[in-house]
Amino acid sequence: MTTGTVTAPEQADTVGSDSGAGTGTRGVIGRWLMALRRRWTASLQLRTVAITAVLTLVAAGVLALFLSQQITSGLFQSRFDQVEAESNRGLNQARSIFDNAVTNDSESTDLLVTNTLNQLAGDTGATVVRDMLLVPLEQAQNLFVGPKSSSGLSTEVIPDELSQAVQEDNGTYWQSISLPAEDGGTSPGLAFGTQVTLPPGNIYALYMVYDLSSVQDTLDYLMRVLVVAGAMLVMMNSLIAVYVTRSVVRPVGQAASTAESLSSGDLTVRMPVHGEDEMARLGSSFNRMADNIQDQITQLAELSQMQQRFVSDVSHELRTPLTTVRMAAEVLYDSREEFDAINRRSTELLYHQVERFHALLADLLEITRFDAGAATMAPEETDILHLATDVVLTAQPLAHKANTAVFVVPMDTEVTADVDPRRIERIIRNLVNNAIEHGEGRPVDVIVGAGEDTVAVVVRDHGIGMSEEQASRVFDRFWRADPARARTTGGSGLGLSIATEDTRLHNGRLDAWGAPGDGSAFRLTIPRRSGGTVADSAPLDLPPVYTESQRRLPMELENPEPAQLNGEAMPDRIHEQSLYQPRPETPQPEDES
């Protein structure tokens, strides 16, 4: 994978288009929404208050809608009953006056109609302002009176449906209408109409029109009151939710802060306790738990220090007698040819077990230094590929004894890092020795690769392998996947634990992979620069991918060339048949008897 640097284009002389401004606006909105989302998921109080406000707003809206419908229908029906009774009375009165009229000319008839319409429109007993409208139903030559209104109301306000109903029957009909308002809009109204007869026998439609703008004003006022009341209800419920959630969430937040302080190592912090309610009992219980944890951690720390001192003291005390025993064992081992078979075998066993005891004691001393925090680093620029090659050369006697071929697979030639070479060499040596021991005589590969900021070394064997549960515990001290399996390298059981501590000193990561029957792989990833960190990704996969042609014997790596990971330089990948090659027969050990 190639990397590159993105450079900014040169600034143009002209101002960018609106699409760029729109993109910037969308970016700001997107960041604002992301911040709001993080705030929403992180604040219980915000969610509680927002949900309370939304639910209250919905409930207030539903209640306001229901009340407005009930009030509107009730008020309309009440006014309708009133104006219906008034209109029936007024229209009947007008019909009676017109039917009993004795006028015989247009002037007297017009005066009678004008007085009657003005009298009915200005009736002080009317509950709602009303107007009278007289419209001839037939265009005859002998009409004494034309269309007439008590207040100049136009005939266009009368709907066609109402006009048609009045023209076809002499009953009284009504319909809701819209009246022109002074502000240029419209106002609701009701129109009642019936037929009347005027001299000399012409039929007219008489309408009584009621203006319901006062009723609409009353409804608008009630709606404003409902809206204000709903807003006040939402605000009051939100404030109540803020107070209630604050009284509940605040102790929970204090408990979270206290728990974070405890987890960071400050065992003296405690929750403040006020009152005797549930929150106070929570604080008291939390403080008692913290006290118990502090006591137990203190006891465990003291016990751990005692154990560390005990192991360190015992290890130091054993060094002197062990050195004496080792010197005596070496003298006997050098003179073993002069002994008989039984004593010679006993001398060899004594020498090897003393050497193993010496390695175990050295590992115990190293572990105690790690536990005491006394381990230090001496970083220097080191060629990791050269270091891994030296480890493989050193492991050749052990590999020859196990009939195992150990190869180096260089993925890069520039594999340098600021590390403590002694500790990195010890990590790789432990991994290689373990691979030889568990490789079942099949090839062991040491793959070395590098990235921009990290260096990785993978030790891959193709032996018995291990399960996921075994891979998760392989770095535990003295842990063995198969307790019945005999050690061929005389390990102490602390090698991988020490390798883990050495890796931690370098701010690196040590990973394990395995599959039963397919072998296992251990990957060491360390930063190139001292003090750096290792990201989640690594230069080499686990298990690694490589080919047989990329294998190199350690003697061939005086001028190593980087391996080709892509393109035609990678012929065929390693397959199971090529890995599980026939093993040469191993010599049988001599009979101890």
Side-chain angles (χ1 to χ4, degrees):
M1 181 178 66
T2 61
T3 60
T5 303
V6 179
T7 58
E10 296 182 358
Q11 186 176 1
D13 296 334
T14 59
V15 181
S17 63
D18 292 340
S19 61
T23 304
T25 303
R26 289 193 296 270
V28 172
I29 295 175
R31 289 192 296 271
W32 183 82
L33 291 177
M34 290 290 293
L36 180 61
R37 181 179 180 182
R38 289 193 297 268
R39 178 64 177 170
W40 175 267
T41 55
S43 176
L44 175 62
Q45 184 176 7
L46 175 61
R47 294 199 302 271
T48 303
V49 174
I51 292 174
T52 302
V54 171
L55 293 180
T56 304
L57 183 61
V58 172
V62 173
L63 181 61
L65 180 62
F66 173 76
L67 291 177
S68 63
Q69 291 179 347
Q70 294 297 317
I71 293 173
T72 301
S73 61
L75 185 58
F76 175 80
Q77 188 63 40
S78 175
R79 290 302 175 91
F80 177 79
D81 294 340
Q82 293 177 1
V83 299
E84 184 181 25
E86 293 176 0
S87 64
N88 289 332
R89 185 173 59 253
L91 293 176
N92 289 333
Q93 183 181 357
R95 184 184 295 112
S96 177
I97 293 174
F98 293 153
D99 288 343
N100 296 324
V102 293
T103 58
N104 53 11
D105 57 5
S106 61
E107 183 178 353
S108 58
T109 302
D110 183 83
L111 180 61
L112 174 65
V113 170
T114 301
N115 292 335
T116 302
L117 295 183
N118 291 335
Q119 180 184 358
L120 293 176
D123 188 1
T124 57
T127 57
V128 181
V129 177
R130 63 188 181 183
D131 295 322
M132 302 300 295
L133 181 63
L134 185 67
V135 181
L137 295 180
E138 298 177 357
Q139 299 296 330
Q141 295 294 330
N142 57 348
L143 288 177
F144 287 170
V145 181
K148 187 175 290 291
S149 173
S150 60
S151 61
L153 189 65
S154 174
T155 58
E156 295 178 356
V157 300
I158 303 302
D160 295 338
E161 294 84 356
L162 179 58
S163 177
Q164 185 69 24
V166 172
Q167 185 176 1
E168 293 176 354
D169 194 3
N170 60 355
T172 301
Y173 300 93
W174 70 273
Q175 188 173 353
S176 297
I177 62 174
S178 296
L179 298 175
E182 296 179 357
D183 57 357
T186 58
S187 61
L190 283 173
F192 293 85
T194 188
Q195 291 183 5
V196 294
T197 304
L198 289 174
N202 295 317
I203 299 175
Y204 288 78
L206 179 63
Y207 298 99
M208 188 172 287
V209 180
Y210 288 88
D211 187 359
L212 300 182
S213 58
S214 60
V215 179
Q216 185 63 45
D217 293 339
T218 303
L219 291 176
D220 293 340
Y221 173 75
L222 291 177
M223 289 302 299
R224 288 194 297 268
V225 171
L226 289 176
V227 170
V228 173
M232 294 179 62
L233 180 62
V234 172
M235 185 177 298
M236 291 176 58
N237 281 357
S238 300
L239 293 176
I240 293 173
V242 169
Y243 174 76
V244 173
T245 54
R246 180 178 178 83
S247 61
V248 175
V249 173
R250 185 176 181 181
V252 176
Q254 292 175 346
S257 300
T258 305
E260 291 175 358
S261 299
L262 290 175
S263 63
S264 63
D266 186 4
L267 302 179
T268 60
V269 66
R270 295 293 183 271
M271 281 185 61
V273 179
H274 305 286
E276 299 179 355
D277 55 5
E278 290 81 358
M279 293 294 103
R281 290 199 296 272
L282 172 63
S284 300
S285 301
F286 190 92
N287 291 339
R288 286 195 298 270
M289 179 188 68
D291 292 336
N292 294 333
I293 292 176
Q294 183 179 12
D295 294 340
Q296 293 178 5
I297 290 178
T298 302
Q299 293 176 2
L300 291 175
E302 294 176 352
L303 179 60
S304 177
Q305 291 178 358
M306 292 175 59
Q307 291 176 343
Q308 293 174 11
R309 286 197 300 268
F310 174 77
V311 173
S312 178
D313 295 342
V314 169
S315 301
H316 281 287
E317 292 297 328
L318 288 176
R319 289 180 67 88
T320 301
L322 180 60
T323 301
T324 304
V325 173
R326 186 183 182 189
M327 292 174 60
E330 289 178 352
V331 172
L332 294 176
Y333 185 77
D334 293 338
S335 304
R336 65 185 183 280
E337 299 298 334
E338 302 176 1
F339 302 151
D340 55 43
I342 296 178
N343 290 330
R344 183 170 60 253
R345 184 58 178 167
S346 299
T347 301
E348 292 174 351
L349 292 175
L350 175 64
Y351 174 77
H352 291 301
Q353 293 303 317
V354 169
E355 288 295 325
R356 181 177 179 181
F357 189 20
H358 182 267
L360 174 61
L361 188 60
D363 289 343
L364 285 175
L365 287 173
E366 188 67 17
I367 285 291
T368 57
R369 281 193 290 269
F370 282 120
D371 292 339
T376 58
M377 281 181 53
E380 60 183 66
E381 187 173 1
T382 304
D383 188 341
I384 304 299
L385 178 59
H386 180 73
L387 185 66
T389 304
D390 289 343
V391 172
V392 173
L393 285 172
T394 306
Q396 288 303 312
L398 179 63
H400 180 72
K401 182 178 180 181
N403 293 322
T404 300
V406 184
F407 298 96
V408 179
V409 181
M411 295 295 187
D412 297 274
T413 55
E414 178 59 30
V415 193
T416 59
D418 295 334
V419 297
D420 187 335
R422 181 180 65 87
R423 296 185 182 277
I424 298 300
E425 185 270 338
R426 180 165 59 187
I427 296 173
I428 301 175
R429 185 179 67 249
N430 280 326
L431 299 180
V432 171
N433 290 344
N434 285 341
I436 294 174
E437 180 179 355
H438 298 89
E440 299 292 315
R442 300 185 179 94
V444 173
D445 299 311
V446 180
I447 305 96
V448 183
E452 183 178 355
D453 299 317
T454 56
V455 173
V457 178
V458 178
V459 179
R460 174 74 159 99
D461 69 74
H462 307 279
I464 59 176
M466 55 185 174
S467 63
E468 292 185 3
E469 192 273 338
Q470 292 172 341
S472 64
R473 298 190 56 192
V474 72
F475 299 107
D476 296 344
R477 297 179 182 180
F478 297 107
W479 183 85
R480 298 174 65 182
D482 185 6
R485 181 180 176 87
R487 294 186 183 270
T488 60
T489 60
S492 63
L494 296 173
L496 291 180
S497 299
I498 295 175
T500 302
E501 298 296 337
D502 285 333
T503 304
R504 187 177 294 114
L505 282 178
H506 289 82
N507 294 331
R509 189 174 70 245
L510 189 59
D511 303 312
W513 170 88
D518 192 25
S520 57
F522 290 82
R523 181 179 62 191
L524 169 67
T525 309
I526 52 177
R528 278 184 177 269
R529 299 292 175 261
S530 178
T533 57
V534 174
D536 294 335
S537 60
L540 299 176
D541 295 331
L542 194 67
V545 178
Y546 56 97
T547 63
E548 282 189 44
S549 61
Q550 293 174 283
R551 289 172 169 172
R552 299 288 185 272
L553 292 173
M555 291 74 70
E556 302 175 1
L557 291 177
E558 295 181 358
N559 295 307
E561 297 181 356
Q564 300 292 329
L565 292 178
N566 299 310
E568 301 179 355
M570 286 184 63
D572 51 345
R573 297 184 183 276
I574 295 180
H575 49 81
E576 296 299 322
Q577 289 78 8
S578 64
L579 291 177
Y580 292 94
Q581 300 172 353
R583 295 161 45 191
E585 295 183 359
T586 57
Q588 299 295 328
E590 298 180 359
D591 189 359
E592 295 185 3
S593 60

